[in-house]
PDB file of all heavy atoms in Angstrom:
ATOM      1  N   TYR A   1     -12.946  24.317  61.427  1.00 91.00           N
ATOM      2  CA  TYR A   1     -12.559  23.559  60.225  1.00 91.00           C
ATOM      3  C   TYR A   1     -11.893  22.225  60.628  1.00 91.00           C
ATOM      4  O   TYR A   1     -12.094  21.206  60.008  1.00 91.00           O
ATOM      5  CB  TYR A   1     -11.587  24.409  59.397  1.00 91.00           C
ATOM      6  CG  TYR A   1     -10.903  23.646  58.292  1.00 91.00           C
ATOM      7  CD1 TYR A   1     -11.638  23.112  57.225  1.00 91.00           C
ATOM      8  CD2 TYR A   1      -9.535  23.496  58.305  1.00 91.00           C
ATOM      9  CE1 TYR A   1     -11.007  22.422  56.223  1.00 91.00           C
ATOM     10  CE2 TYR A   1      -8.874  22.777  57.284  1.00 91.00           C
ATOM     11  CZ  TYR A   1      -9.646  22.262  56.244  1.00 91.00           C
ATOM     12  OH  TYR A   1      -9.031  21.552  55.230  1.00 91.00           O
ATOM     13  N   TYR A   2     -11.098  22.262  61.682  1.00 93.00           N
ATOM     14  CA  TYR A   2     -10.648  21.018  62.358  1.00 93.00           C
ATOM     15  C   TYR A   2     -10.663  21.246  63.849  1.00 93.00           C
ATOM     16  O   TYR A   2     -11.073  22.297  64.319  1.00 93.00           O
ATOM     17  CB  TYR A   2      -9.293  20.549  61.808  1.00 93.00           C
ATOM     18  CG  TYR A   2      -8.092  21.467  62.072  1.00 93.00           C
ATOM     19  CD1 TYR A   2      -7.478  21.469  63.305  1.00 93.00           C
ATOM     20  CD2 TYR A   2      -7.597  22.295  61.090  1.00 93.00           C
ATOM     21  CE1 TYR A   2      -6.392  22.332  63.576  1.00 93.00           C
ATOM     22  CE2 TYR A   2      -6.512  23.115  61.317  1.00 93.00           C
ATOM     23  CZ  TYR A   2      -5.897  23.118  62.554  1.00 93.00           C
ATOM     24  OH  TYR A   2      -4.818  23.929  62.780  1.00 93.00           O
ATOM     25  N   SER A   3     -10.234  20.305  64.596  1.00 95.00           N
ATOM     26  CA  SER A   3     -10.394  20.250  66.075  1.00 95.00           C
ATOM     27  C   SER A   3     -10.025  21.575  66.741  1.00 95.00           C
ATOM     28  O   SER A   3      -8.858  22.006  66.764  1.00 95.00           O
ATOM     29  CB  SER A   3      -9.510  19.159  66.648  1.00 95.00           C
ATOM     30  OG  SER A   3      -9.410  19.271  68.056  1.00 95.00           O
ATOM     31  N   VAL A   4     -11.033  22.215  67.360  1.00 97.00           N
ATOM     32  CA  VAL A   4     -10.799  23.403  68.144  1.00 97.00           C
ATOM     33  C   VAL A   4      -9.963  23.088  69.386  1.00 97.00           C
ATOM     34  O   VAL A   4      -9.145  23.927  69.812  1.00 97.00           O
ATOM     35  CB  VAL A   4     -12.131  24.068  68.557  1.00 97.00           C
ATOM     36  CG1 VAL A   4     -11.922  25.258  69.465  1.00 97.00           C
ATOM     37  CG2 VAL A   4     -12.914  24.507  67.292  1.00 97.00           C
ATOM     38  N   GLN A   5     -10.113  21.885  69.910  1.00 98.00           N
ATOM     39  CA  GLN A   5      -9.336  21.520  71.089  1.00 98.00           C
ATOM     40  C   GLN A   5      -7.821  21.477  70.741  1.00 98.00           C
ATOM     41  O   GLN A   5      -6.996  21.896  71.562  1.00 98.00           O
ATOM     42  CB  GLN A   5      -9.761  20.122  71.604  1.00 98.00           C
ATOM     43  CG  GLN A   5      -9.090  19.742  72.913  1.00 98.00           C
ATOM     44  CD  GLN A   5      -9.343  20.763  74.019  1.00 98.00           C
ATOM     45  OE1 GLN A   5     -10.478  21.119  74.305  1.00 98.00           O
ATOM     46  NE2 GLN A   5      -8.276  21.271  74.640  1.00 98.00           N
ATOM     47  N   LEU A   6      -7.487  20.976  69.556  1.00 98.00           N
ATOM     48  CA  LEU A   6      -6.093  20.988  69.147  1.00 98.00           C
ATOM     49  C   LEU A   6      -5.573  22.424  69.111  1.00 98.00           C
ATOM     50  O   LEU A   6      -4.443  22.734  69.540  1.00 98.00           O
ATOM     51  CB  LEU A   6      -5.921  20.310  67.794  1.00 98.00           C
ATOM     52  CG  LEU A   6      -4.527  20.358  67.179  1.00 98.00           C
ATOM     53  CD1 LEU A   6      -3.497  19.636  68.061  1.00 98.00           C
ATOM     54  CD2 LEU A   6      -4.559  19.728  65.756  1.00 98.00           C
ATOM     55  N   LYS A   7      -6.363  23.327  68.580  1.00 98.00           N
ATOM     56  CA  LYS A   7      -5.966  24.744  68.510  1.00 98.00           C
ATOM     57  C   LYS A   7      -5.812  25.330  69.899  1.00 98.00           C
ATOM     58  O   LYS A   7      -4.810  26.054  70.189  1.00 98.00           O
ATOM     59  CB  LYS A   7      -7.002  25.541  67.724  1.00 98.00           C
ATOM     60  CG  LYS A   7      -7.099  25.120  66.256  1.00 98.00           C
ATOM     61  CD  LYS A   7      -8.165  25.912  65.519  1.00 98.00           C
ATOM     62  CE  LYS A   7      -8.261  25.449  64.059  1.00 98.00           C
ATOM     63  NZ  LYS A   7      -9.320  26.189  63.320  1.00 98.00           N
ATOM     64  N   ARG A   8      -6.716  25.015  70.791  1.00 98.00           N
ATOM     65  CA  ARG A   8      -6.588  25.492  72.191  1.00 98.00           C
ATOM     66  C   ARG A   8      -5.356  24.906  72.866  1.00 98.00           C
ATOM     67  O   ARG A   8      -4.682  25.599  73.649  1.00 98.00           O
ATOM     68  CB  ARG A   8      -7.844  25.144  72.964  1.00 98.00           C
ATOM     69  CG  ARG A   8      -9.123  25.884  72.505  1.00 98.00           C
ATOM     70  CD  ARG A   8     -10.265  25.665  73.447  1.00 98.00           C
ATOM     71  NE  ARG A   8     -11.483  26.247  72.928  1.00 98.00           N
ATOM     72  CZ  ARG A   8     -11.850  27.522  73.001  1.00 98.00           C
ATOM     73  NH1 ARG A   8     -10.988  28.406  73.556  1.00 98.00           N
ATOM     74  NH2 ARG A   8     -12.957  27.949  72.514  1.00 98.00           N
ATOM     75  N   ASP A   9      -5.044  23.659  72.551  1.00 98.00           N
ATOM     76  CA  ASP A   9      -3.871  23.014  73.175  1.00 98.00           C
ATOM     77  C   ASP A   9      -2.567  23.709  72.667  1.00 98.00           C
ATOM     78  O   ASP A   9      -1.611  23.832  73.450  1.00 98.00           O
ATOM     79  CB  ASP A   9      -3.866  21.542  72.847  1.00 98.00           C
ATOM     80  CG  ASP A   9      -4.922  20.780  73.567  1.00 98.00           C
ATOM     81  OD1 ASP A   9      -5.491  21.303  74.548  1.00 98.00           O
ATOM     82  OD2 ASP A   9      -5.236  19.626  73.138  1.00 98.00           O
ATOM     83  N   ARG A  10      -2.565  24.087  71.418  1.00 98.00           N
ATOM     84  CA  ARG A  10      -1.379  24.843  70.934  1.00 98.00           C
ATOM     85  C   ARG A  10      -1.238  26.154  71.685  1.00 98.00           C
ATOM     86  O   ARG A  10      -0.142  26.512  72.140  1.00 98.00           O
ATOM     87  CB  ARG A  10      -1.542  25.119  69.431  1.00 98.00           C
ATOM     88  CG  ARG A  10      -1.443  23.882  68.536  1.00 98.00           C
ATOM     89  CD  ARG A  10      -1.566  24.306  67.084  1.00 98.00           C
ATOM     90  NE  ARG A  10      -1.610  23.198  66.130  1.00 98.00           N
ATOM     91  CZ  ARG A  10      -2.490  23.098  65.161  1.00 98.00           C
ATOM     92  NH1 ARG A  10      -3.445  24.014  65.018  1.00 98.00           N
ATOM     93  NH2 ARG A  10      -2.447  22.078  64.308  1.00 98.00           N
ATOM     94  N   ILE A  11      -2.332  26.921  71.759  1.00 98.00           N
ATOM     95  CA  ILE A  11      -2.268  28.190  72.472  1.00 98.00           C
ATOM     96  C   ILE A  11      -1.860  28.025  73.953  1.00 98.00           C
ATOM     97  O   ILE A  11      -1.122  28.848  74.490  1.00 98.00           O
ATOM     98  CB  ILE A  11      -3.617  28.928  72.388  1.00 98.00           C
ATOM     99  CG1 ILE A  11      -3.912  29.356  70.929  1.00 98.00           C
ATOM    100  CG2 ILE A  11      -3.704  30.141  73.309  1.00 98.00           C
ATOM    101  CD1 ILE A  11      -2.897  30.349  70.383  1.00 98.00           C
ATOM    102  N   ALA A  12      -2.303  26.930  74.542  1.00 98.00           N
ATOM    103  CA  ALA A  12      -1.938  26.672  75.936  1.00 98.00           C
ATOM    104  C   ALA A  12      -0.422  26.494  76.119  1.00 98.00           C
ATOM    105  O   ALA A  12       0.097  26.734  77.184  1.00 98.00           O
ATOM    106  CB  ALA A  12      -2.661  25.431  76.451  1.00 98.00           C
ATOM    107  N   GLN A  13       0.260  26.067  75.041  1.00 98.00           N
ATOM    108  CA  GLN A  13       1.701  25.961  75.123  1.00 98.00           C
ATOM    109  C   GLN A  13       2.392  27.320  75.117  1.00 98.00           C
ATOM    110  O   GLN A  13       3.533  27.476  75.556  1.00 98.00           O
ATOM    111  CB  GLN A  13       2.245  25.181  73.903  1.00 98.00           C
ATOM    112  CG  GLN A  13       1.674  23.767  73.756  1.00 98.00           C
ATOM    113  CD  GLN A  13       2.179  22.851  74.847  1.00 98.00           C
ATOM    114  OE1 GLN A  13       3.394  22.742  75.066  1.00 98.00           O
ATOM    115  NE2 GLN A  13       1.262  22.164  75.510  1.00 98.00           N
ATOM    116  N   LEU A  14       1.697  28.347  74.608  1.00 98.00           N
ATOM    117  CA  LEU A  14       2.258  29.692  74.456  1.00 98.00           C
ATOM    118  C   LEU A  14       1.909  30.643  75.578  1.00 98.00           C
ATOM    119  O   LEU A  14       2.680  31.540  75.907  1.00 98.00           O
ATOM    120  CB  LEU A  14       1.804  30.320  73.137  1.00 98.00           C
ATOM    121  CG  LEU A  14       2.143  29.586  71.834  1.00 98.00           C
ATOM    122  CD1 LEU A  14       1.412  30.214  70.661  1.00 98.00           C
ATOM    123  CD2 LEU A  14       3.631  29.573  71.619  1.00 98.00           C
ATOM    124  N   THR A  15       0.755  30.457  76.213  1.00 96.00           N
ATOM    125  CA  THR A  15       0.261  31.422  77.182  1.00 96.00           C
ATOM    126  C   THR A  15       1.115  31.580  78.443  1.00 96.00           C
ATOM    127  O   THR A  15       1.056  32.683  79.054  1.00 96.00           O
ATOM    128  CB  THR A  15      -1.196  31.107  77.572  1.00 96.00           C
ATOM    129  OG1 THR A  15      -1.335  29.700  77.889  1.00 96.00           O
ATOM    130  CG2 THR A  15      -2.141  31.436  76.429  1.00 96.00           C
ATOM    131  N   PRO A  16       1.908  30.575  78.874  1.00 96.00           N
ATOM    132  CA  PRO A  16       2.756  30.855  80.021  1.00 96.00           C
ATOM    133  C   PRO A  16       3.813  31.927  79.783  1.00 96.00           C
ATOM    134  O   PRO A  16       4.367  32.508  80.737  1.00 96.00           O
ATOM    135  CB  PRO A  16       3.408  29.494  80.294  1.00 96.00           C
ATOM    136  CG  PRO A  16       2.498  28.500  79.707  1.00 96.00           C
ATOM    137  CD  PRO A  16       1.906  29.144  78.507  1.00 96.00           C
ATOM    138  N   GLU A  17       4.085  32.229  78.506  1.00 96.00           N
ATOM    139  CA  GLU A  17       5.098  33.250  78.192  1.00 96.00           C
ATOM    140  C   GLU A  17       4.480  34.629  78.388  1.00 96.00           C
ATOM    141  O   GLU A  17       3.485  34.966  77.723  1.00 96.00           O
ATOM    142  CB  GLU A  17       5.561  33.038  76.753  1.00 96.00           C
ATOM    143  CG  GLU A  17       6.452  34.149  76.207  1.00 96.00           C
ATOM    144  CD  GLU A  17       7.687  34.370  77.090  1.00 96.00           C
ATOM    145  OE1 GLU A  17       8.474  33.448  77.233  1.00 96.00           O
ATOM    146  OE2 GLU A  17       7.834  35.509  77.576  1.00 96.00           O
ATOM    147  N   PRO A  18       5.057  35.473  79.256  1.00 96.00           N
ATOM    148  CA  PRO A  18       4.468  36.808  79.544  1.00 96.00           C
ATOM    149  C   PRO A  18       4.453  37.738  78.318  1.00 96.00           C
ATOM    150  O   PRO A  18       3.659  38.694  78.301  1.00 96.00           O
ATOM    151  CB  PRO A  18       5.319  37.371  80.686  1.00 96.00           C
ATOM    152  CG  PRO A  18       6.583  36.569  80.651  1.00 96.00           C
ATOM    153  CD  PRO A  18       6.246  35.242  80.099  1.00 96.00           C
ATOM    154  N   ARG A  19       5.306  37.493  77.330  1.00 97.00           N
ATOM    155  CA  ARG A  19       5.352  38.349  76.154  1.00 97.00           C
ATOM    156  C   ARG A  19       4.370  37.911  75.084  1.00 97.00           C
ATOM    157  O   ARG A  19       4.429  38.417  73.947  1.00 97.00           O
ATOM    158  CB  ARG A  19       6.777  38.450  75.630  1.00 97.00           C
ATOM    159  CG  ARG A  19       7.677  39.367  76.426  1.00 97.00           C
ATOM    160  CD  ARG A  19       9.128  39.310  75.978  1.00 97.00           C
ATOM    161  NE  ARG A  19       9.788  38.062  76.393  1.00 97.00           N
ATOM    162  CZ  ARG A  19      10.003  37.039  75.586  1.00 97.00           C
ATOM    163  NH1 ARG A  19       9.622  37.081  74.323  1.00 97.00           N
ATOM    164  NH2 ARG A  19      10.600  35.955  76.038  1.00 97.00           N
ATOM    165  N   PHE A  20       3.502  36.950  75.396  1.00 98.00           N
ATOM    166  CA  PHE A  20       2.517  36.454  74.453  1.00 98.00           C
ATOM    167  C   PHE A  20       1.129  36.883  74.915  1.00 98.00           C
ATOM    168  O   PHE A  20       0.755  36.704  76.083  1.00 98.00           O
ATOM    169  CB  PHE A  20       2.589  34.964  74.329  1.00 98.00           C
ATOM    170  CG  PHE A  20       1.554  34.392  73.347  1.00 98.00           C
ATOM    171  CD1 PHE A  20       1.722  34.494  71.989  1.00 98.00           C
ATOM    172  CD2 PHE A  20       0.387  33.764  73.807  1.00 98.00           C
ATOM    173  CE1 PHE A  20       0.804  34.025  71.063  1.00 98.00           C
ATOM    174  CE2 PHE A  20      -0.555  33.271  72.910  1.00 98.00           C
ATOM    175  CZ  PHE A  20      -0.327  33.403  71.547  1.00 98.00           C
ATOM    176  N   ASP A  21       0.363  37.444  74.023  1.00 98.00           N
ATOM    177  CA  ASP A  21      -1.006  37.916  74.304  1.00 98.00           C
ATOM    178  C   ASP A  21      -1.928  37.340  73.209  1.00 98.00           C
ATOM    179  O   ASP A  21      -1.796  37.684  72.055  1.00 98.00           O
ATOM    180  CB  ASP A  21      -1.020  39.432  74.304  1.00 98.00           C
ATOM    181  CG  ASP A  21      -2.417  39.992  74.653  1.00 98.00           C
ATOM    182  OD1 ASP A  21      -3.272  39.219  75.052  1.00 98.00           O
ATOM    183  OD2 ASP A  21      -2.592  41.230  74.475  1.00 98.00           O
ATOM    184  N   PHE A  22      -2.840  36.455  73.643  1.00 98.00           N
ATOM    185  CA  PHE A  22      -3.734  35.858  72.663  1.00 98.00           C
ATOM    186  C   PHE A  22      -5.041  36.638  72.559  1.00 98.00           C
ATOM    187  O   PHE A  22      -5.651  37.042  73.552  1.00 98.00           O
ATOM    188  CB  PHE A  22      -4.063  34.410  73.038  1.00 98.00           C
ATOM    189  CG  PHE A  22      -5.055  33.765  72.126  1.00 98.00           C
ATOM    190  CD1 PHE A  22      -4.737  33.528  70.790  1.00 98.00           C
ATOM    191  CD2 PHE A  22      -6.333  33.402  72.555  1.00 98.00           C
ATOM    192  CE1 PHE A  22      -5.631  32.924  69.925  1.00 98.00           C
ATOM    193  CE2 PHE A  22      -7.249  32.824  71.689  1.00 98.00           C
ATOM    194  CZ  PHE A  22      -6.885  32.590  70.369  1.00 98.00           C
ATOM    195  N   ARG A  23      -5.486  36.857  71.303  1.00 98.00           N
ATOM    196  CA  ARG A  23      -6.770  37.509  71.035  1.00 98.00           C
ATOM    197  C   ARG A  23      -7.616  36.624  70.104  1.00 98.00           C
ATOM    198  O   ARG A  23      -7.136  36.257  69.012  1.00 98.00           O
ATOM    199  CB  ARG A  23      -6.586  38.841  70.341  1.00 98.00           C
ATOM    200  CG  ARG A  23      -5.546  39.752  70.981  1.00 98.00           C
ATOM    201  CD  ARG A  23      -6.052  40.383  72.241  1.00 98.00           C
ATOM    202  NE  ARG A  23      -5.039  41.267  72.832  1.00 98.00           N
ATOM    203  CZ  ARG A  23      -4.920  42.545  72.485  1.00 98.00           C
ATOM    204  NH1 ARG A  23      -5.743  43.098  71.634  1.00 98.00           N
ATOM    205  NH2 ARG A  23      -3.968  43.293  73.043  1.00 98.00           N
ATOM    206  N   GLN A  24      -8.799  36.272  70.534  1.00 98.00           N
ATOM    207  CA  GLN A  24      -9.712  35.542  69.677  1.00 98.00           C
ATOM    208  C   GLN A  24     -10.501  36.539  68.852  1.00 98.00           C
ATOM    209  O   GLN A  24     -11.279  37.316  69.383  1.00 98.00           O
ATOM    210  CB  GLN A  24     -10.660  34.653  70.476  1.00 98.00           C
ATOM    211  CG  GLN A  24     -11.550  33.789  69.539  1.00 98.00           C
ATOM    212  CD  GLN A  24     -12.360  32.731  70.313  1.00 98.00           C
ATOM    213  OE1 GLN A  24     -12.116  32.498  71.494  1.00 98.00           O
ATOM    214  NE2 GLN A  24     -13.301  32.107  69.625  1.00 98.00           N
ATOM    215  N   LEU A  25     -10.272  36.500  67.543  1.00 97.00           N
ATOM    216  CA  LEU A  25     -10.864  37.536  66.643  1.00 97.00           C
ATOM    217  C   LEU A  25     -10.879  36.988  65.228  1.00 97.00           C
ATOM    218  O   LEU A  25      -9.925  36.386  64.762  1.00 97.00           O
ATOM    219  CB  LEU A  25     -10.008  38.815  66.708  1.00 97.00           C
ATOM    220  CG  LEU A  25     -10.430  39.952  65.776  1.00 97.00           C
ATOM    221  CD1 LEU A  25     -11.807  40.501  66.179  1.00 97.00           C
ATOM    222  CD2 LEU A  25      -9.383  41.090  65.841  1.00 97.00           C
ATOM    223  N   ASP A  26     -11.991  37.211  64.540  1.00 96.00           N
ATOM    224  CA  ASP A  26     -12.143  36.865  63.156  1.00 96.00           C
ATOM    225  C   ASP A  26     -11.709  38.055  62.284  1.00 96.00           C
ATOM    226  O   ASP A  26     -12.224  39.158  62.473  1.00 96.00           O
ATOM    227  CB  ASP A  26     -13.572  36.453  62.858  1.00 96.00           C
ATOM    228  CG  ASP A  26     -13.703  35.739  61.501  1.00 96.00           C
ATOM    229  OD1 ASP A  26     -12.946  36.111  60.546  1.00 96.00           O
ATOM    230  OD2 ASP A  26     -14.550  34.838  61.409  1.00 96.00           O
ATOM    231  N   LEU A  27     -10.817  37.831  61.357  1.00 97.00           N
ATOM    232  CA  LEU A  27     -10.300  38.931  60.574  1.00 97.00           C
ATOM    233  C   LEU A  27     -11.331  39.572  59.647  1.00 97.00           C
ATOM    234  O   LEU A  27     -11.081  40.667  59.091  1.00 97.00           O
ATOM    235  CB  LEU A  27      -9.102  38.459  59.733  1.00 97.00           C
ATOM    236  CG  LEU A  27      -7.814  38.191  60.525  1.00 97.00           C
ATOM    237  CD1 LEU A  27      -6.769  37.495  59.625  1.00 97.00           C
ATOM    238  CD2 LEU A  27      -7.259  39.481  61.044  1.00 97.00           C
ATOM    239  N   VAL A  28     -12.452  38.945  59.450  1.00 96.00           N
ATOM    240  CA  VAL A  28     -13.494  39.578  58.653  1.00 96.00           C
ATOM    241  C   VAL A  28     -14.200  40.701  59.387  1.00 96.00           C
ATOM    242  O   VAL A  28     -14.930  41.489  58.772  1.00 96.00           O
ATOM    243  CB  VAL A  28     -14.550  38.553  58.121  1.00 96.00           C
ATOM    244  CG1 VAL A  28     -13.879  37.448  57.315  1.00 96.00           C
ATOM    245  CG2 VAL A  28     -15.349  37.974  59.259  1.00 96.00           C
ATOM    246  N   GLU A  29     -13.973  40.791  60.712  1.00 97.00           N
ATOM    247  CA  GLU A  29     -14.587  41.854  61.521  1.00 97.00           C
ATOM    248  C   GLU A  29     -13.763  43.124  61.377  1.00 97.00           C
ATOM    249  O   GLU A  29     -12.897  43.423  62.188  1.00 97.00           O
ATOM    250  CB  GLU A  29     -14.684  41.382  62.979  1.00 97.00           C
ATOM    251  CG  GLU A  29     -15.509  40.119  63.166  1.00 97.00           C
ATOM    252  CD  GLU A  29     -15.452  39.604  64.609  1.00 97.00           C
ATOM    253  OE1 GLU A  29     -15.020  40.343  65.501  1.00 97.00           O
ATOM    254  OE2 GLU A  29     -15.822  38.427  64.808  1.00 97.00           O
ATOM    255  N   ARG A  30     -14.118  43.887  60.353  1.00 97.00           N
ATOM    256  CA  ARG A  30     -13.318  45.052  59.981  1.00 97.00           C
ATOM    257  C   ARG A  30     -13.079  46.062  61.111  1.00 97.00           C
ATOM    258  O   ARG A  30     -11.960  46.444  61.345  1.00 97.00           O
ATOM    259  CB  ARG A  30     -13.913  45.720  58.744  1.00 97.00           C
ATOM    260  CG  ARG A  30     -13.078  46.859  58.215  1.00 97.00           C
ATOM    261  CD  ARG A  30     -13.529  47.300  56.846  1.00 97.00           C
ATOM    262  NE  ARG A  30     -14.895  47.805  56.841  1.00 97.00           N
ATOM    263  CZ  ARG A  30     -15.531  48.242  55.775  1.00 97.00           C
ATOM    264  NH1 ARG A  30     -14.906  48.245  54.635  1.00 97.00           N
ATOM    265  NH2 ARG A  30     -16.766  48.704  55.855  1.00 97.00           N
ATOM    266  N   PRO A  31     -14.126  46.534  61.812  1.00 98.00           N
ATOM    267  CA  PRO A  31     -13.898  47.511  62.852  1.00 98.00           C
ATOM    268  C   PRO A  31     -12.966  46.982  63.979  1.00 98.00           C
ATOM    269  O   PRO A  31     -12.063  47.737  64.466  1.00 98.00           O
ATOM    270  CB  PRO A  31     -15.293  47.819  63.422  1.00 98.00           C
ATOM    271  CG  PRO A  31     -16.196  47.449  62.286  1.00 98.00           C
ATOM    272  CD  PRO A  31     -15.576  46.287  61.644  1.00 98.00           C
ATOM    273  N   ALA A  32     -13.143  45.717  64.360  1.00 98.00           N
ATOM    274  CA  ALA A  32     -12.302  45.151  65.439  1.00 98.00           C
ATOM    275  C   ALA A  32     -10.844  45.031  64.954  1.00 98.00           C
ATOM    276  O   ALA A  32      -9.922  45.251  65.759  1.00 98.00           O
ATOM    277  CB  ALA A  32     -12.864  43.794  65.833  1.00 98.00           C
ATOM    278  N   VAL A  33     -10.636  44.646  63.717  1.00 98.00           N
ATOM    279  CA  VAL A  33      -9.260  44.531  63.194  1.00 98.00           C
ATOM    280  C   VAL A  33      -8.622  45.925  63.167  1.00 98.00           C
ATOM    281  O   VAL A  33      -7.453  46.059  63.565  1.00 98.00           O
ATOM    282  CB  VAL A  33      -9.277  43.879  61.805  1.00 98.00           C
ATOM    283  CG1 VAL A  33      -7.850  43.922  61.194  1.00 98.00           C
ATOM    284  CG2 VAL A  33      -9.779  42.447  61.898  1.00 98.00           C
ATOM    285  N   ALA A  34      -9.319  46.893  62.678  1.00 98.00           N
ATOM    286  CA  ALA A  34      -8.782  48.263  62.614  1.00 98.00           C
ATOM    287  C   ALA A  34      -8.437  48.777  64.022  1.00 98.00           C
ATOM    288  O   ALA A  34      -7.376  49.404  64.211  1.00 98.00           O
ATOM    289  CB  ALA A  34      -9.794  49.216  61.953  1.00 98.00           C
TER     290      ALA A  34
END
């Protein structure tokens, strides 16, 4: 919808923190969400 690079750059600010775990997932995927 807007720059994916901007979104990746935000996540890159969080990933050094060991208590953060990023998952790429679309919430419409019902079995994966469950």
